[in-house]
Amino acid sequence: MKSVVIACLLVLCVVGAFAHNHEHEHRTPHFRPVPSVHHFVYEIAEHQVGSYTPQWSDCGNADSAWVTTSVTFQDKPAKGKTLSGTTCGTVRQTSTFAQDAITVKLNGKNQITQTLNLGNKQVETGGTFCYSSSSKIPGLAPSGNYQITSVLKDPSGNVLGCTNVYFIL
């Protein structure tokens, strides 16, 4: 059961559940459906500015093609509540976003590692790449310190950028 709850939180903050390329000014988003984990149902969240900013850090390096600029949640994470999150970043060199390799830690221990397909979204230098998701946090979610690391990769598996998001339940 703990793995299912952690997987639910993973998809919630995956921030890779839906990819949206903001390079162009048109308002037609490009989304990819989120796979369900067991019996949990996930809701779609389009890119929007949230009212709660969790603690986060960019974990890329000086050569990263994508740098995190913001992470927002609609509300503070809470058990039994729906949480929507969006992560955005600036593209420093033209890149194709193919995969999001995610690791979820609870109290410093790896719980889940998963790779999601981002649909090979190409963004030009200076553009913005954002990804969002929404999910209900089960009331049975374990309490503790959560860290979700999202590593964005190109089709060849090269790392484009990295984001850590931290919150407490």
Side-chain angles (χ1 to χ4, degrees):
M1 180 63 166
K2 183 177 177 182
S3 294
V4 172
V5 171
I6 298 298
C8 180
L9 288 170
L10 167 70
V11 175
L12 152 72
C13 293
V14 167
V15 269
F18 297 96
H20 186 162
N21 177 345
H22 288 279
E23 176 189 14
H24 304 289
E25 287 302 313
H26 61 81
R27 296 291 181 207
T28 305
H30 305 295
F31 295 112
R32 180 187 66 70
V34 179
S36 293
V37 177
H38 297 280
H39 64 277
F40 295 106
V41 177
Y42 301 98
E43 299 173 10
I44 296 172
E46 290 189 22
H47 172 66
Q48 53 190 327
V49 176
S51 61
Y52 176 77
T53 302
Q55 183 181 1
W56 63 272
S57 64
D58 181 88
C59 46
N61 60 39
D63 296 325
S64 294
W66 179 87
V67 178
T68 312
T69 56
S70 68
V71 177
T72 56
F73 292 160
Q74 270 312 107
D75 297 298
K76 187 174 180 178
K79 294 178 184 185
K81 301 288 183 177
T82 297
L83 182 63
S84 298
T86 300
T87 298
C88 290
T90 300
V91 177
R92 296 197 298 192
Q93 63 187 51
T94 299
S95 300
T96 301
F97 295 84
Q99 297 177 339
D100 185 6
I102 299 142
T103 302
V104 176
K105 291 182 180 181
L106 171 59
N107 298 326
K109 296 180 183 175
N110 283 357
Q111 301 294 319
I112 300 258
T113 301
Q114 182 175 347
T115 300
L116 299 174
N117 181 355
L118 295 176
N120 292 330
K121 304 294 182 194
Q122 184 171 6
V123 183
E124 300 294 323
T125 300
T128 298
F129 181 75
C130 295
Y131 47 107
S132 302
S133 68
S134 179
S135 181
K136 183 170 182 162
I137 298 175
L140 297 173
S143 296
N145 296 305
Y146 285 82
Q147 175 184 338
I148 298 176
T149 302
S150 171
V151 179
L152 301 178
K153 297 181 179 183
D154 69 12
S156 297
N158 298 311
V159 174
L160 300 172
C162 176
T163 305
N164 286 317
V165 179
Y166 312 91
F167 62 92
I168 297 172
L169 282 182

